[in-house]
PDB file of all heavy atoms in Angstrom:
ATOM      1  N   TYR A   1      -3.487 -26.258 -97.957  1.00 92.00           N
ATOM      2  CA  TYR A   1      -3.869 -26.642 -96.658  1.00 92.00           C
ATOM      3  C   TYR A   1      -5.230 -26.169 -96.286  1.00 92.00           C
ATOM      4  O   TYR A   1      -5.701 -25.063 -96.697  1.00 92.00           O
ATOM      5  CB  TYR A   1      -2.767 -26.134 -95.618  1.00 92.00           C
ATOM      6  CG  TYR A   1      -2.684 -24.672 -95.525  1.00 92.00           C
ATOM      7  CD1 TYR A   1      -3.397 -23.882 -94.623  1.00 92.00           C
ATOM      8  CD2 TYR A   1      -1.750 -23.925 -96.344  1.00 92.00           C
ATOM      9  CE1 TYR A   1      -3.253 -22.438 -94.702  1.00 92.00           C
ATOM     10  CE2 TYR A   1      -1.564 -22.593 -96.356  1.00 92.00           C
ATOM     11  CZ  TYR A   1      -2.207 -21.879 -95.396  1.00 92.00           C
ATOM     12  OH  TYR A   1      -2.076 -20.550 -95.376  1.00 92.00           O
ATOM     13  N   TRP A   2      -5.883 -26.845 -95.353  1.00 95.00           N
ATOM     14  CA  TRP A   2      -7.252 -26.466 -94.985  1.00 95.00           C
ATOM     15  C   TRP A   2      -7.266 -25.130 -94.184  1.00 95.00           C
ATOM     16  O   TRP A   2      -6.432 -24.957 -93.393  1.00 95.00           O
ATOM     17  CB  TRP A   2      -7.820 -27.546 -94.075  1.00 95.00           C
ATOM     18  CG  TRP A   2      -8.219 -28.875 -94.815  1.00 95.00           C
ATOM     19  CD1 TRP A   2      -7.643 -30.064 -94.640  1.00 95.00           C
ATOM     20  CD2 TRP A   2      -9.371 -29.030 -95.621  1.00 95.00           C
ATOM     21  NE1 TRP A   2      -8.244 -31.110 -95.408  1.00 95.00           N
ATOM     22  CE2 TRP A   2      -9.255 -30.455 -95.964  1.00 95.00           C
ATOM     23  CE3 TRP A   2     -10.308 -28.264 -96.264  1.00 95.00           C
ATOM     24  CZ2 TRP A   2     -10.237 -31.008 -96.881  1.00 95.00           C
ATOM     25  CZ3 TRP A   2     -11.248 -28.835 -97.132  1.00 95.00           C
ATOM     26  CH2 TRP A   2     -11.293 -30.180 -97.370  1.00 95.00           C
ATOM     27  N   LEU A   3      -8.228 -24.330 -94.464  1.00 95.00           N
ATOM     28  CA  LEU A   3      -8.572 -23.271 -93.657  1.00 95.00           C
ATOM     29  C   LEU A   3      -9.798 -23.690 -92.621  1.00 95.00           C
ATOM     30  O   LEU A   3     -10.444 -24.681 -92.867  1.00 95.00           O
ATOM     31  CB  LEU A   3      -8.934 -22.046 -94.502  1.00 95.00           C
ATOM     32  CG  LEU A   3      -7.790 -21.487 -95.388  1.00 95.00           C
ATOM     33  CD1 LEU A   3      -8.369 -20.288 -96.126  1.00 95.00           C
ATOM     34  CD2 LEU A   3      -6.653 -21.032 -94.453  1.00 95.00           C
ATOM     35  N   LEU A   4     -10.137 -22.830 -91.729  1.00 96.00           N
ATOM     36  CA  LEU A   4     -11.174 -23.172 -90.795  1.00 96.00           C
ATOM     37  C   LEU A   4     -12.665 -23.183 -91.297  1.00 96.00           C
ATOM     38  O   LEU A   4     -13.380 -23.941 -90.995  1.00 96.00           O
ATOM     39  CB  LEU A   4     -11.054 -22.399 -89.533  1.00 96.00           C
ATOM     40  CG  LEU A   4     -11.753 -22.726 -88.313  1.00 96.00           C
ATOM     41  CD1 LEU A   4     -11.037 -22.551 -87.026  1.00 96.00           C
ATOM     42  CD2 LEU A   4     -13.156 -21.912 -88.252  1.00 96.00           C
ATOM     43  N   ASN A   5     -12.726 -22.061 -92.032  1.00 95.00           N
ATOM     44  CA  ASN A   5     -14.186 -21.905 -92.535  1.00 95.00           C
ATOM     45  C   ASN A   5     -14.796 -22.732 -93.433  1.00 95.00           C
ATOM     46  O   ASN A   5     -14.050 -23.142 -94.442  1.00 95.00           O
ATOM     47  CB  ASN A   5     -14.262 -20.366 -93.067  1.00 95.00           C
ATOM     48  CG  ASN A   5     -13.610 -19.345 -92.177  1.00 95.00           C
ATOM     49  OD1 ASN A   5     -12.354 -19.302 -92.205  1.00 95.00           O
ATOM     50  ND2 ASN A   5     -14.353 -18.744 -91.230  1.00 95.00           N
ATOM     51  N   VAL A   6     -16.025 -23.104 -93.238  1.00 94.00           N
ATOM     52  CA  VAL A   6     -16.637 -23.945 -94.314  1.00 94.00           C
ATOM     53  C   VAL A   6     -17.360 -23.070 -95.306  1.00 94.00           C
ATOM     54  O   VAL A   6     -17.612 -21.901 -95.065  1.00 94.00           O
ATOM     55  CB  VAL A   6     -17.781 -24.883 -93.598  1.00 94.00           C
ATOM     56  CG1 VAL A   6     -17.098 -25.772 -92.574  1.00 94.00           C
ATOM     57  CG2 VAL A   6     -18.884 -24.068 -93.024  1.00 94.00           C
ATOM     58  N   LYS A   7     -17.630 -23.684 -96.433  1.00 93.00           N
ATOM     59  CA  LYS A   7     -18.397 -22.993 -97.566  1.00 93.00           C
ATOM     60  C   LYS A   7     -19.836 -23.398 -97.352  1.00 93.00           C
ATOM     61  O   LYS A   7     -20.655 -22.573 -97.413  1.00 93.00           O
ATOM     62  CB  LYS A   7     -17.953 -23.444 -98.922  1.00 93.00           C
ATOM     63  CG  LYS A   7     -18.832 -22.901-100.059  1.00 93.00           C
ATOM     64  CD  LYS A   7     -18.329 -23.475-101.416  1.00 93.00           C
ATOM     65  CE  LYS A   7     -19.223 -22.992-102.537  1.00 93.00           C
ATOM     66  NZ  LYS A   7     -18.805 -23.702-103.906  1.00 93.00           N
ATOM     67  N   ASP A   8     -20.138 -24.681 -97.058  1.00 90.00           N
ATOM     68  CA  ASP A   8     -21.509 -25.120 -96.860  1.00 90.00           C
ATOM     69  C   ASP A   8     -21.274 -26.494 -96.136  1.00 90.00           C
ATOM     70  O   ASP A   8     -20.322 -26.854 -95.606  1.00 90.00           O
ATOM     71  CB  ASP A   8     -22.324 -25.260 -98.164  1.00 90.00           C
ATOM     72  CG  ASP A   8     -21.518 -25.944 -99.288  1.00 90.00           C
ATOM     73  OD1 ASP A   8     -20.907 -27.099 -98.899  1.00 90.00           O
ATOM     74  OD2 ASP A   8     -21.460 -25.572-100.352  1.00 90.00           O
ATOM     75  N   ASN A   9     -22.367 -27.261 -96.191  1.00 87.00           N
ATOM     76  CA  ASN A   9     -22.384 -28.583 -95.497  1.00 87.00           C
ATOM     77  C   ASN A   9     -21.437 -29.576 -96.044  1.00 87.00           C
ATOM     78  O   ASN A   9     -21.118 -30.529 -95.285  1.00 87.00           O
ATOM     79  CB  ASN A   9     -23.826 -29.138 -95.377  1.00 87.00           C
ATOM     80  CG  ASN A   9     -24.729 -28.394 -94.323  1.00 87.00           C
ATOM     81  OD1 ASN A   9     -24.237 -27.479 -93.673  1.00 87.00           O
ATOM     82  ND2 ASN A   9     -26.061 -28.733 -94.331  1.00 87.00           N
ATOM     83  N   GLU A  10     -21.053 -29.410 -97.297  1.00 90.00           N
ATOM     84  CA  GLU A  10     -20.265 -30.322 -97.965  1.00 90.00           C
ATOM     85  C   GLU A  10     -18.863 -29.928 -98.367  1.00 90.00           C
ATOM     86  O   GLU A  10     -18.067 -30.822 -98.742  1.00 90.00           O
ATOM     87  CB  GLU A  10     -21.012 -30.760 -99.348  1.00 90.00           C
ATOM     88  CG  GLU A  10     -22.370 -31.412 -99.063  1.00 90.00           C
ATOM     89  CD  GLU A  10     -22.938 -31.831-100.413  1.00 90.00           C
ATOM     90  OE1 GLU A  10     -22.488 -31.440-101.436  1.00 90.00           O
ATOM     91  OE2 GLU A  10     -24.102 -32.414-100.279  1.00 90.00           O
ATOM     92  N   ALA A  11     -18.533 -28.702 -98.066  1.00 93.00           N
ATOM     93  CA  ALA A  11     -17.200 -28.129 -98.540  1.00 93.00           C
ATOM     94  C   ALA A  11     -16.627 -27.155 -97.602  1.00 93.00           C
ATOM     95  O   ALA A  11     -17.341 -26.414 -96.941  1.00 93.00           O
ATOM     96  CB  ALA A  11     -17.440 -27.633 -99.968  1.00 93.00           C
ATOM     97  N   ALA A  12     -15.263 -27.088 -97.676  1.00 94.00           N
ATOM     98  CA  ALA A  12     -14.576 -26.091 -96.780  1.00 94.00           C
ATOM     99  C   ALA A  12     -13.587 -25.362 -97.653  1.00 94.00           C
ATOM    100  O   ALA A  12     -13.098 -25.899 -98.719  1.00 94.00           O
ATOM    101  CB  ALA A  12     -13.944 -26.730 -95.588  1.00 94.00           C
ATOM    102  N   TRP A  13     -13.016 -24.278 -97.131  1.00 94.00           N
ATOM    103  CA  TRP A  13     -12.001 -23.440 -97.927  1.00 94.00           C
ATOM    104  C   TRP A  13     -10.651 -23.962 -97.578  1.00 94.00           C
ATOM    105  O   TRP A  13     -10.239 -24.429 -96.603  1.00 94.00           O
ATOM    106  CB  TRP A  13     -12.169 -22.060 -97.408  1.00 94.00           C
ATOM    107  CG  TRP A  13     -13.495 -21.552 -97.906  1.00 94.00           C
ATOM    108  CD1 TRP A  13     -14.635 -21.280 -97.190  1.00 94.00           C
ATOM    109  CD2 TRP A  13     -13.891 -21.148 -99.227  1.00 94.00           C
ATOM    110  NE1 TRP A  13     -15.575 -20.789 -97.855  1.00 94.00           N
ATOM    111  CE2 TRP A  13     -15.205 -20.700 -99.231  1.00 94.00           C
ATOM    112  CE3 TRP A  13     -13.145 -21.179-100.527  1.00 94.00           C
ATOM    113  CZ2 TRP A  13     -15.899 -20.301-100.268  1.00 94.00           C
ATOM    114  CZ3 TRP A  13     -14.033 -20.727-101.623  1.00 94.00           C
ATOM    115  CH2 TRP A  13     -15.354 -20.279-101.551  1.00 94.00           C
ATOM    116  N   VAL A  14      -9.808 -23.772 -98.645  1.00 91.00           N
ATOM    117  CA  VAL A  14      -8.324 -24.201 -98.688  1.00 91.00           C
ATOM    118  C   VAL A  14      -7.543 -23.149 -99.259  1.00 91.00           C
ATOM    119  O   VAL A  14      -7.977 -22.411-100.288  1.00 91.00           O
ATOM    120  CB  VAL A  14      -8.265 -25.508 -99.641  1.00 91.00           C
ATOM    121  CG1 VAL A  14      -6.812 -25.757 -99.805  1.00 91.00           C
ATOM    122  CG2 VAL A  14      -9.055 -26.721 -99.073  1.00 91.00           C
ATOM    123  N   ASN A  15      -6.402 -23.005 -98.699  1.00 88.00           N
ATOM    124  CA  ASN A  15      -5.407 -22.026 -99.400  1.00 88.00           C
ATOM    125  C   ASN A  15      -4.760 -22.787-100.528  1.00 88.00           C
ATOM    126  O   ASN A  15      -4.238 -23.905-100.247  1.00 88.00           O
ATOM    127  CB  ASN A  15      -4.374 -21.600 -98.294  1.00 88.00           C
ATOM    128  CG  ASN A  15      -3.348 -20.625 -98.934  1.00 88.00           C
ATOM    129  OD1 ASN A  15      -2.620 -20.968 -99.676  1.00 88.00           O
ATOM    130  ND2 ASN A  15      -3.490 -19.437 -98.486  1.00 88.00           N
ATOM    131  N   ARG A  16      -4.891 -22.216-101.612  1.00 76.00           N
ATOM    132  CA  ARG A  16      -4.434 -22.949-102.888  1.00 76.00           C
ATOM    133  C   ARG A  16      -3.082 -22.489-103.370  1.00 76.00           C
ATOM    134  O   ARG A  16      -2.797 -21.809-104.174  1.00 76.00           O
ATOM    135  CB  ARG A  16      -5.507 -22.755-103.982  1.00 76.00           C
ATOM    136  CG  ARG A  16      -5.093 -23.291-105.303  1.00 76.00           C
ATOM    137  CD  ARG A  16      -4.897 -24.867-105.228  1.00 76.00           C
ATOM    138  NE  ARG A  16      -4.662 -25.444-106.644  1.00 76.00           N
ATOM    139  CZ  ARG A  16      -3.596 -25.538-107.312  1.00 76.00           C
ATOM    140  NH1 ARG A  16      -2.509 -24.851-106.658  1.00 76.00           N
ATOM    141  NH2 ARG A  16      -3.550 -26.076-108.434  1.00 76.00           N
ATOM    142  N   ASN A  17      -2.074 -22.859-102.563  1.00 63.00           N
ATOM    143  CA  ASN A  17      -0.640 -22.503-102.792  1.00 63.00           C
ATOM    144  C   ASN A  17      -0.589 -21.040-103.073  1.00 63.00           C
ATOM    145  O   ASN A  17      -1.177 -20.109-102.498  1.00 63.00           O
ATOM    146  CB  ASN A  17      -0.129 -23.199-104.089  1.00 63.00           C
ATOM    147  CG  ASN A  17      -0.171 -24.678-103.870  1.00 63.00           C
ATOM    148  OD1 ASN A  17      -0.605 -25.223-102.882  1.00 63.00           O
ATOM    149  ND2 ASN A  17       0.303 -25.499-104.810  1.00 63.00           N
ATOM    150  N   ASP A  18       0.386 -20.541-103.888  1.00 54.00           N
ATOM    151  CA  ASP A  18       0.463 -19.272-104.213  1.00 54.00           C
ATOM    152  C   ASP A  18       0.065 -18.867-105.639  1.00 54.00           C
ATOM    153  O   ASP A  18       0.353 -18.002-106.312  1.00 54.00           O
ATOM    154  CB  ASP A  18       1.923 -18.709-104.116  1.00 54.00           C
ATOM    155  CG  ASP A  18       2.944 -19.615-105.079  1.00 54.00           C
ATOM    156  OD1 ASP A  18       2.444 -20.461-105.629  1.00 54.00           O
ATOM    157  OD2 ASP A  18       4.106 -19.296-105.047  1.00 54.00           O
ATOM    158  N   PHE A  19      -0.940 -19.828-106.221  1.00 50.00           N
ATOM    159  CA  PHE A  19      -1.469 -19.619-107.463  1.00 50.00           C
ATOM    160  C   PHE A  19      -2.686 -18.659-107.474  1.00 50.00           C
ATOM    161  O   PHE A  19      -3.525 -18.933-106.689  1.00 50.00           O
ATOM    162  CB  PHE A  19      -1.769 -20.978-108.105  1.00 50.00           C
ATOM    163  CG  PHE A  19      -2.314 -20.907-109.539  1.00 50.00           C
ATOM    164  CD1 PHE A  19      -1.335 -20.782-110.502  1.00 50.00           C
ATOM    165  CD2 PHE A  19      -3.592 -20.852-109.895  1.00 50.00           C
ATOM    166  CE1 PHE A  19      -1.605 -20.773-111.854  1.00 50.00           C
ATOM    167  CE2 PHE A  19      -3.981 -20.933-111.142  1.00 50.00           C
ATOM    168  CZ  PHE A  19      -2.998 -20.783-112.182  1.00 50.00           C
ATOM    169  N   ILE A  20      -2.680 -17.643-108.138  1.00 46.00           N
ATOM    170  CA  ILE A  20      -3.739 -16.615-108.307  1.00 46.00           C
ATOM    171  C   ILE A  20      -4.712 -17.071-109.448  1.00 46.00           C
ATOM    172  O   ILE A  20      -4.202 -17.196-110.619  1.00 46.00           O
ATOM    173  CB  ILE A  20      -3.262 -15.188-108.464  1.00 46.00           C
ATOM    174  CG1 ILE A  20      -2.355 -14.954-107.333  1.00 46.00           C
ATOM    175  CG2 ILE A  20      -4.369 -14.325-108.571  1.00 46.00           C
ATOM    176  CD1 ILE A  20      -2.867 -14.999-105.928  1.00 46.00           C
ATOM    177  N   PHE A  21      -5.963 -17.299-109.189  1.00 51.00           N
ATOM    178  CA  PHE A  21      -6.889 -17.655-110.208  1.00 51.00           C
ATOM    179  C   PHE A  21      -7.519 -16.472-110.890  1.00 51.00           C
ATOM    180  O   PHE A  21      -7.350 -15.272-110.441  1.00 51.00           O
ATOM    181  CB  PHE A  21      -8.011 -18.608-109.507  1.00 51.00           C
ATOM    182  CG  PHE A  21      -7.548 -19.931-109.156  1.00 51.00           C
ATOM    183  CD1 PHE A  21      -6.832 -20.146-108.075  1.00 51.00           C
ATOM    184  CD2 PHE A  21      -7.658 -21.032-110.186  1.00 51.00           C
ATOM    185  CE1 PHE A  21      -6.375 -21.435-107.798  1.00 51.00           C
ATOM    186  CE2 PHE A  21      -7.175 -22.281-109.828  1.00 51.00           C
ATOM    187  CZ  PHE A  21      -6.558 -22.481-108.665  1.00 51.00           C
ATOM    188  N   SER A  22      -8.329 -16.660-111.874  1.00 47.00           N
ATOM    189  CA  SER A  22      -8.880 -15.576-112.717  1.00 47.00           C
ATOM    190  C   SER A  22      -9.806 -14.681-111.874  1.00 47.00           C
ATOM    191  O   SER A  22     -10.019 -13.489-112.037  1.00 47.00           O
ATOM    192  CB  SER A  22      -9.568 -16.162-113.954  1.00 47.00           C
ATOM    193  OG  SER A  22     -10.688 -16.925-113.423  1.00 47.00           O
ATOM    194  N   ASP A  23     -10.304 -15.147-110.742  1.00 54.00           N
ATOM    195  CA  ASP A  23     -11.159 -14.376-109.864  1.00 54.00           C
ATOM    196  C   ASP A  23     -10.480 -13.556-108.896  1.00 54.00           C
ATOM    197  O   ASP A  23     -10.951 -12.810-108.049  1.00 54.00           O
ATOM    198  CB  ASP A  23     -12.289 -15.195-109.214  1.00 54.00           C
ATOM    199  CG  ASP A  23     -11.756 -16.284-108.238  1.00 54.00           C
ATOM    200  OD1 ASP A  23     -10.535 -16.287-108.246  1.00 54.00           O
ATOM    201  OD2 ASP A  23     -12.343 -17.068-107.646  1.00 54.00           O
ATOM    202  N   GLY A  24      -9.126 -13.635-108.898  1.00 57.00           N
ATOM    203  CA  GLY A  24      -8.163 -12.816-107.974  1.00 57.00           C
ATOM    204  C   GLY A  24      -8.132 -13.268-106.642  1.00 57.00           C
ATOM    205  O   GLY A  24      -7.725 -12.575-105.740  1.00 57.00           O
ATOM    206  N   THR A  25      -8.345 -14.590-106.310  1.00 67.00           N
ATOM    207  CA  THR A  25      -8.289 -15.150-105.025  1.00 67.00           C
ATOM    208  C   THR A  25      -7.420 -16.219-104.980  1.00 67.00           C
ATOM    209  O   THR A  25      -7.094 -17.017-105.881  1.00 67.00           O
ATOM    210  CB  THR A  25      -9.685 -15.481-104.510  1.00 67.00           C
ATOM    211  OG1 THR A  25      -9.394 -16.053-103.114  1.00 67.00           O
ATOM    212  CG2 THR A  25     -10.248 -16.560-105.200  1.00 67.00           C
ATOM    213  N   ASN A  26      -6.831 -16.594-103.821  1.00 80.00           N
ATOM    214  CA  ASN A  26      -5.968 -17.780-103.480  1.00 80.00           C
ATOM    215  C   ASN A  26      -6.662 -18.874-102.951  1.00 80.00           C
ATOM    216  O   ASN A  26      -6.136 -19.950-102.639  1.00 80.00           O
ATOM    217  CB  ASN A  26      -4.766 -17.323-102.427  1.00 80.00           C
ATOM    218  CG  ASN A  26      -3.868 -16.355-103.021  1.00 80.00           C
ATOM    219  OD1 ASN A  26      -4.168 -15.115-103.045  1.00 80.00           O
ATOM    220  ND2 ASN A  26      -2.710 -16.804-103.474  1.00 80.00           N
ATOM    221  N   LEU A  27      -7.935 -18.644-102.708  1.00 87.00           N
ATOM    222  CA  LEU A  27      -8.830 -19.616-101.916  1.00 87.00           C
ATOM    223  C   LEU A  27      -9.742 -20.418-102.890  1.00 87.00           C
ATOM    224  O   LEU A  27     -10.295 -19.940-103.788  1.00 87.00           O
ATOM    225  CB  LEU A  27      -9.528 -18.918-100.982  1.00 87.00           C
ATOM    226  CG  LEU A  27      -8.813 -17.894-100.042  1.00 87.00           C
ATOM    227  CD1 LEU A  27      -9.734 -17.408 -99.025  1.00 87.00           C
ATOM    228  CD2 LEU A  27      -7.665 -18.683 -99.264  1.00 87.00           C
ATOM    229  N   LEU A  28      -9.732 -21.768-102.588  1.00 87.00           N
ATOM    230  CA  LEU A  28     -10.688 -22.583-103.344  1.00 87.00           C
ATOM    231  C   LEU A  28     -11.491 -23.477-102.257  1.00 87.00           C
ATOM    232  O   LEU A  28     -11.088 -23.635-100.985  1.00 87.00           O
ATOM    233  CB  LEU A  28      -9.906 -23.642-104.135  1.00 87.00           C
ATOM    234  CG  LEU A  28      -9.239 -23.016-105.426  1.00 87.00           C
ATOM    235  CD1 LEU A  28      -8.564 -24.277-106.066  1.00 87.00           C
ATOM    236  CD2 LEU A  28     -10.398 -22.498-106.368  1.00 87.00           C
TER     237      LEU A  28
END
């Protein structure tokens, strides 16, 4: 699901299920 904050003019942050990536974050 979408989060409120943007990354830049073209992208915004998303909560990526409960999957933990190699960088240790749930956000993409």
Side-chain angles (χ1 to χ4, degrees):
Y1 61 94
W2 288 110
L3 297 177
L4 188 144
N5 312 81
V6 298
K7 175 186 175 185
D8 49 41
N9 286 357
E10 298 180 353
W13 293 103
V14 170
N15 182 287
R16 178 58 173 86
N17 300 5
D18 55 0
F19 186 80
I20 303 299
F21 287 82
S22 58
D23 59 0
T25 179
N26 297 76
L27 310 179
L28 289 176

